[in-house]
């Protein structure tokens, strides 16, 4: 058995901050940001928590699928920015949607999180442990940023996306995942303690990134893992209908497409609207594609994520 997507959903906060708004905070401008990243705006949480956004995305996925929430066996939430350490965001989602029979837990792999959670759900379904799994990517990156650091604050936004996987007969799902802890310092966000809350000038606990290091890592490892999965599946690049990549930077996606020698129109992007929402980028994009009638039964979809750890993962499945 494999997990077939039977519903998708997403949620982004209504408050929007465009590049001109950012230019009033840090030394930047719309042209500079767009040229280097492809980002035009980002949605920023105000009163919304990560768990709330995850719950709203989950409700929309349930509504689209038509299933009873009580059918859900498991809820996996990929996040690195939950408002609480415990209880986990997955248990809050369970409460919000009424999935009374589901077990839930969170998975933290930063921007790679959703793809790894998706792969985890597929493994549970393949093993016969679960029949219906909700997989969510949700992050409030705005809470982790130093808004005076233009190297990072221009890149991120907040949001959540969800898919529901239901056990069914179908083509095999092919997966791969890797980590390189030696390169972890390229992208870090330290735990924030009370002393950090009391001292707003303490910037050690904010997100720090070696932008060039992460860029070079992504444009090398994303094509490699896509080719690794294709080799396992005994398929060619031409067999894939869409490559749904983590939406970190337009240049990274364009570079990956160029290395693979695949037309860029097979790499859908929405980061101009949402920026990098970390674990939420892939499921938000999948939801937009599904609701925009871009996806048809039988299409081959390749997911690929990359991020802190450093981690990277991919998954090939049939829609």
């Amino acid at each position: 058995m494999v997990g077939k997507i039977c519903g998708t959903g997403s949620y982004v906060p209504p408050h929007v901050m465009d590049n001109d708004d950012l230019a009033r905070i840090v030394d930047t401008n719309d042209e500079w940001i767009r040229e280097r990243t492809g980002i035009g705006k980002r949605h920023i949480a105000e009163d919304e928590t990560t768990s709330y956004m995850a719950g709203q995305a989950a409700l929309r996925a349930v509504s689209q699928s038509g299933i009873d929430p009580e059918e859900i066996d498991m809820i996996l939430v990929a996040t690195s920015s939950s408002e609480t350490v415990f209880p986990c965001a997955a248990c809050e989602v369970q409460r919000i949607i009424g999935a009374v029979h589901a077990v839930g837990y969170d998975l933290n792999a930063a921007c790679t999180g959703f793809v790894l959670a998706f792969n985890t759900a597929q493994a549970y379904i393949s093993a016969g442990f679960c029949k219906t799994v909700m997989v969510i990517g949700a992050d409030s990156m705005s809470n982790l940023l130093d808004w005076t650091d233009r190297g990072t604050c221009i890149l991120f936004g907040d949001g959540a996306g969800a898919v529901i996987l239901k056990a069914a007969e179908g083509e095999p799902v092919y997966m791969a995942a890797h980590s390189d802890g030696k390169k972890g310092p390229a992208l870090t966000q330290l735990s924030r303690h009370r002393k950090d809350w009391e001292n707003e000038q303490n910037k050690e606990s904010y997100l720090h990134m070696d932008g060039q290091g992460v860029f070079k890592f992504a444009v090398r490892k994303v094509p490699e893992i896509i080719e690794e999965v294709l080799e396992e599946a005994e398929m060619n690049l031409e067999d894939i209908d869409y490559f749904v990549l983590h939406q970190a930077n337009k240049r990274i996606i364009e570079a990956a497409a160029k290395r693979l020698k695949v037309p860029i129109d097979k790499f859908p992007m929405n980061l101009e609207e949402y920026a990098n929402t970390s674990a939420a980028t892939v499921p938000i994009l999948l939801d937009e594609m599904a609701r925009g009638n871009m996806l048809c039964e039988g299409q081959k979809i390749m997911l690929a994520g990359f991020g802190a750890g450093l981690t990277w993962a991919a998954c090939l499945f049939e829609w």
Side-chain angles (χ1 to χ4, degrees), residues 169-210:
E169 298 290 342
E171 292 296 315
V173 176
Y174 299 94
M175 301 173 282
H178 301 282
S179 296
D180 185 355
K182 291 181 180 179
K183 296 182 179 178
L187 183 52
T188 62
Q189 196 277 313
L190 303 180
S191 177
R192 300 184 72 179
H193 300 288
R194 182 171 297 280
K195 64 181 180 181
D196 300 310
W197 305 338
E198 293 172 349
N199 180 10
E200 294 183 0
Q201 300 305 310
N202 186 339
K203 297 182 179 181
E204 291 303 313
S205 61
Y206 290 114
L207 184 148
H208 294 271
M209 182 173 66
D210 171 5

Side-chain angles (χ1 to χ4, degrees), residues 250-313:
K250 183 180 180 181
R251 284 183 170 182
I252 291 176
I253 297 171
E254 290 175 338
K258 185 176 181 179
R259 285 202 176 199
L260 292 167
K261 299 180 181 178
V262 173
I264 193 63
D265 59 5
K266 282 196 171 186
F267 291 77
M269 287 184 263
N270 64 359
L271 54 85
E272 180 180 6
E273 172 68 28
Y274 305 113
N276 180 351
T277 55
S278 192
T281 67
V282 169
I284 289 175
L285 182 52
L286 277 175
D287 183 48
E288 288 194 334
M289 294 172 69
R291 294 174 187 268
N293 298 317
M294 291 177 63
L295 300 173
C296 304
E297 185 175 354
Q299 285 181 328
K300 301 292 191 299
I301 310 298
M302 178 77 76
L303 308 183
F306 52 92
L310 295 172
T311 58
W312 60 106

Side-chain angles (χ1 to χ4, degrees), residues 9-224:
S10 61
Y11 175 88
V12 292
H15 177 61
V16 175
M17 179 182 288
D18 64 22
N19 293 340
D20 291 330
D21 294 326
L22 269 180
R24 300 184 184 98
I25 301 173
V26 293
D27 181 17
T28 191
N29 58 67
D30 179 68
E31 182 181 2
W32 192 91
I33 296 172
R34 286 181 184 272
E35 180 183 344
R36 287 161 177 78
T37 69
I39 296 168
K41 61 183 73 171
R42 67 281 301 144
H43 293 249
I44 302 296
E46 295 184 304
D47 297 327
E48 301 93 346
T49 64
T50 300
S51 296
Y52 172 82
M53 294 191 296
Q56 296 306 301
L59 285 171
R60 294 174 185 185
V62 167
S63 176
Q64 189 195 67
S65 71
I67 70 167
D68 186 330
E70 295 189 6
E71 295 178 42
I72 299 172
D73 303 308
M74 176 175 283
I75 300 169
L76 300 177
V77 177
T79 185
S80 53
S81 59
S82 180
E83 69 279 6
T84 58
V85 176
F86 48 81
C88 65
C91 285
E92 177 65 5
V93 171
Q94 182 202 39
R95 181 192 67 79
I96 291 171
I97 68 175
V100 296
H101 300 302
V103 61
Y105 65 88
D106 294 355
L107 186 156
N108 181 355
C111 299
T112 317
F114 177 80
V115 180
L116 285 172
F118 188 93
N119 289 357
T120 301
Q122 291 288 354
Y124 275 118
I125 290 171
S126 177
F129 185 74
C130 296
K131 292 183 179 179
T132 307
V133 182
M134 172 80 75
V135 187
I136 302 169
D139 270 307
S140 302
M141 297 303 294
S142 62
N143 293 330
L144 309 181
L145 299 173
D146 174 5
W147 286 92
T148 66
D149 175 15
R150 76 169 185 173
T152 57
C153 74
I154 67 171
L155 301 174
F156 295 94
D158 304 330
V163 303
I164 299 176
L165 295 173
K166 198 168 183 62
E169 298 290 342
E171 292 296 315
V173 176
Y174 299 94
M175 301 173 282
H178 301 282
S179 296
D180 185 355
K182 291 181 180 179
K183 296 182 179 178
L187 183 52
T188 62
Q189 196 277 313
L190 303 180
S191 177
R192 300 184 72 179
H193 300 288
R194 182 171 297 280
K195 64 181 180 181
D196 300 310
W197 305 338
E198 293 172 349
N199 180 10
E200 294 183 0
Q201 300 305 310
N202 186 339
K203 297 182 179 181
E204 291 303 313
S205 61
Y206 290 114
L207 184 148
H208 294 271
M209 182 173 66
D210 171 5
Q212 281 299 313
V214 172
F215 183 92
K216 291 176 182 177
F217 147 74
V219 299
R220 184 176 71 255
K221 292 301 183 181
V222 169
E224 284 181 6

